Amino acid sequence: HAVRGETAIRGAADVRPLLRMLVTAHRQLTEAMNDQAIQLRALLLRGDNADRDLGRSGLGHGVLSTLAHRPLPRDATDRQIDRHTNIQRLAKVVLAYRVELCANRDQMSAIVNELAPGVIAQHGVGPLKAAKAILHATQDTARHAEEPEAAL
Protein backbone atom coordinates (compact mmCIF):
# COMPACT_ATOMS: atom_id res chain seq x y z
CA HIS A 1 0.00 0.00 0.00
CA ALA A 2 1.29 3.44 -0.91
CA VAL A 3 0.35 5.00 2.44
CA ARG A 4 2.66 2.73 4.40
CA GLY A 5 6.29 3.64 4.70
CA GLU A 6 8.01 6.93 5.02
CA THR A 7 9.31 7.05 1.45
CA ALA A 8 5.84 6.73 -0.07
CA ILE A 9 4.68 9.97 1.55
CA ARG A 10 7.72 12.20 1.32
CA GLY A 11 6.70 15.83 1.79
CA ALA A 12 3.80 14.98 4.07
CA ALA A 13 5.33 16.91 6.97
CA ASP A 14 4.97 20.11 4.97
CA VAL A 15 1.23 19.65 4.48
CA ARG A 16 0.36 17.88 7.75
CA PRO A 17 -1.17 21.03 9.31
CA LEU A 18 -3.33 21.62 6.23
CA LEU A 19 -4.37 17.98 6.03
CA ARG A 20 -5.17 17.94 9.76
CA MET A 21 -7.23 21.11 9.33
CA LEU A 22 -9.17 19.59 6.41
CA VAL A 23 -9.89 16.38 8.36
CA THR A 24 -11.08 18.42 11.35
CA ALA A 25 -13.20 20.66 9.12
CA HIS A 26 -14.73 17.58 7.49
CA ARG A 27 -15.79 16.24 10.88
CA GLN A 28 -17.22 19.60 11.95
CA LEU A 29 -19.09 20.12 8.67
CA THR A 30 -20.50 16.60 8.81
CA GLU A 31 -21.68 17.04 12.39
CA ALA A 32 -23.26 20.42 11.64
CA MET A 33 -24.94 19.11 8.48
CA ASN A 34 -26.30 16.08 10.35
CA ASP A 35 -27.67 18.30 13.12
CA GLN A 36 -29.54 20.43 10.58
CA ALA A 37 -30.77 17.35 8.68
CA ILE A 38 -32.11 15.88 11.95
CA GLN A 39 -34.00 19.12 12.64
CA LEU A 40 -35.38 19.13 9.11
CA ARG A 41 -36.45 15.49 9.33
CA ALA A 42 -38.17 16.12 12.70
CA LEU A 43 -40.02 19.11 11.27
CA LEU A 44 -41.16 17.07 8.27
CA LEU A 45 -42.30 14.16 10.43
CA ARG A 46 -44.61 16.53 12.32
CA GLY A 47 -46.32 17.62 9.09
CA ASP A 48 -48.97 16.23 6.79
CA ASN A 49 -48.76 12.85 5.06
CA ALA A 50 -46.67 14.17 2.17
CA ASP A 51 -44.16 15.82 4.54
CA ARG A 52 -44.01 12.70 6.71
CA ASP A 53 -43.21 10.64 3.62
CA LEU A 54 -40.40 13.06 2.76
CA GLY A 55 -39.16 12.93 6.34
CA ARG A 56 -38.93 9.15 6.16
CA SER A 57 -37.14 9.21 2.80
CA GLY A 58 -33.48 9.86 2.24
CA LEU A 59 -32.85 13.56 2.11
CA GLY A 60 -31.09 13.43 -1.24
CA HIS A 61 -30.26 16.40 -3.42
CA GLY A 62 -33.58 16.24 -5.29
CA VAL A 63 -35.68 16.17 -2.13
CA LEU A 64 -33.66 18.97 -0.53
CA SER A 65 -33.90 21.12 -3.68
CA THR A 66 -37.65 20.57 -3.81
CA LEU A 67 -38.02 21.53 -0.15
CA ALA A 68 -35.78 24.57 -0.56
CA HIS A 69 -37.85 25.93 -3.44
CA ARG A 70 -41.39 24.68 -2.97
CA PRO A 71 -44.03 27.39 -3.05
CA LEU A 72 -45.94 28.52 0.00
CA PRO A 73 -49.49 27.15 0.09
CA ARG A 74 -52.28 29.62 -0.67
CA ASP A 75 -54.03 31.07 2.35
CA ALA A 76 -51.31 29.80 4.69
CA THR A 77 -51.65 30.66 8.37
CA ASP A 78 -48.85 32.36 10.26
CA ARG A 79 -47.92 29.01 11.79
CA GLN A 80 -47.80 27.37 8.34
CA ILE A 81 -45.68 30.23 7.01
CA ASP A 82 -43.20 29.82 9.89
CA ARG A 83 -43.03 26.07 9.36
CA HIS A 84 -42.62 26.45 5.60
CA THR A 85 -39.87 29.06 6.09
CA ASN A 86 -38.03 26.81 8.55
CA ILE A 87 -38.21 23.84 6.18
CA GLN A 88 -36.84 25.96 3.32
CA ARG A 89 -34.07 27.38 5.50
CA LEU A 90 -33.00 23.97 6.82
CA ALA A 91 -33.04 22.41 3.34
CA LYS A 92 -30.87 25.25 1.99
CA VAL A 93 -28.46 24.93 4.91
CA VAL A 94 -28.07 21.17 4.40
CA LEU A 95 -27.47 21.73 0.68
CA ALA A 96 -24.84 24.38 1.48
CA TYR A 97 -23.07 22.01 3.88
CA ARG A 98 -22.99 19.37 1.15
CA VAL A 99 -21.31 21.82 -1.21
CA GLU A 100 -18.74 22.67 1.47
CA LEU A 101 -18.11 18.97 2.14
CA CYS A 102 -17.53 18.35 -1.58
CA ALA A 103 -15.01 21.18 -1.72
CA ASN A 104 -13.34 19.82 1.42
CA ARG A 105 -13.08 16.33 -0.13
CA ASP A 106 -11.69 17.81 -3.36
CA GLN A 107 -8.96 19.61 -1.40
CA MET A 108 -8.12 16.44 0.54
CA SER A 109 -8.05 14.44 -2.69
CA ALA A 110 -5.60 16.84 -4.29
CA ILE A 111 -3.21 16.63 -1.34
CA VAL A 112 -3.53 12.85 -0.98
CA ASN A 113 -3.01 12.29 -4.71
CA GLU A 114 0.13 14.40 -4.57
CA LEU A 115 1.53 12.58 -1.54
CA ALA A 116 0.38 9.04 -2.32
CA PRO A 117 -0.80 8.70 -5.93
CA GLY A 118 -3.27 5.92 -6.54
CA VAL A 119 -4.33 5.38 -2.93
CA ILE A 120 -7.80 6.85 -3.43
CA ALA A 121 -8.30 4.62 -6.48
CA GLN A 122 -8.17 1.56 -4.20
CA HIS A 123 -11.52 0.00 -3.33
CA GLY A 124 -12.89 1.38 -0.06
CA VAL A 125 -10.37 4.20 0.26
CA GLY A 126 -11.70 7.71 -0.08
CA PRO A 127 -9.98 11.03 0.51
CA LEU A 128 -10.89 11.17 4.21
CA LYS A 129 -9.67 7.66 5.02
CA ALA A 130 -6.48 8.26 3.01
CA ALA A 131 -5.84 11.61 4.70
CA LYS A 132 -6.27 10.04 8.14
CA ALA A 133 -3.91 7.21 7.18
CA ILE A 134 -1.28 9.69 5.99
CA LEU A 135 -1.59 11.68 9.20
CA HIS A 136 -1.26 8.49 11.23
CA ALA A 137 1.67 7.17 9.19
CA THR A 138 3.58 10.44 9.46
CA GLN A 139 2.80 11.05 13.12
CA ASP A 140 6.09 9.61 14.44
CA THR A 141 8.12 11.29 11.70
CA ALA A 142 6.57 14.67 12.52
CA ARG A 143 7.13 14.17 16.25
CA HIS A 144 10.81 13.32 15.72
CA ALA A 145 11.28 16.37 13.52
CA GLU A 146 9.94 18.61 16.30
CA GLU A 147 12.19 17.16 19.04
CA PRO A 148 15.37 19.10 19.82
CA GLU A 149 18.69 17.52 18.97
CA ALA A 150 19.49 16.49 22.55
CA ALA A 151 22.10 13.95 21.51
CA LEU A 152 24.45 16.61 20.10
Side-chain angles (χ1 to χ4, degrees), residues 71-82 84:
L72 185 64
R74 290 184 189 263
D75 303 325
T77 65
D78 287 345
R79 185 174 183 199
Q80 290 171 323
I81 292 170
D82 287 344
H84 181 82

Side-chain angles (χ1 to χ4, degrees), residues 13 139-149:
Q139 187 174 0
D140 291 336
T141 306
R143 194 177 303 133
H144 291 302
E146 294 170 2
E147 291 176 357
E149 299 286 339

Side-chain angles (χ1 to χ4, degrees), residues 5-57:
E6 211 172 302
T7 57
I9 48 179
R10 220 173 256 146
D14 298 338
V15 293
R16 270 182 65 77
L18 177 58
L19 208 50
R20 192 177 314 114
M21 180 191 75
L22 288 169
V23 168
T24 300
H26 188 277
R27 185 187 76 249
Q28 292 169 342
L29 288 168
T30 301
E31 289 171 358
M33 180 187 70
N34 288 342
D35 289 345
Q36 299 298 305
I38 288 167
Q39 288 181 34
L40 175 58
R41 192 175 304 278
L43 193 55
L44 289 168
L45 291 172
R46 290 190 308 264
D48 60 16
N49 287 339
D51 278 358
R52 282 194 299 273
D53 287 344
L54 288 173
R56 288 185 204 105
S57 73

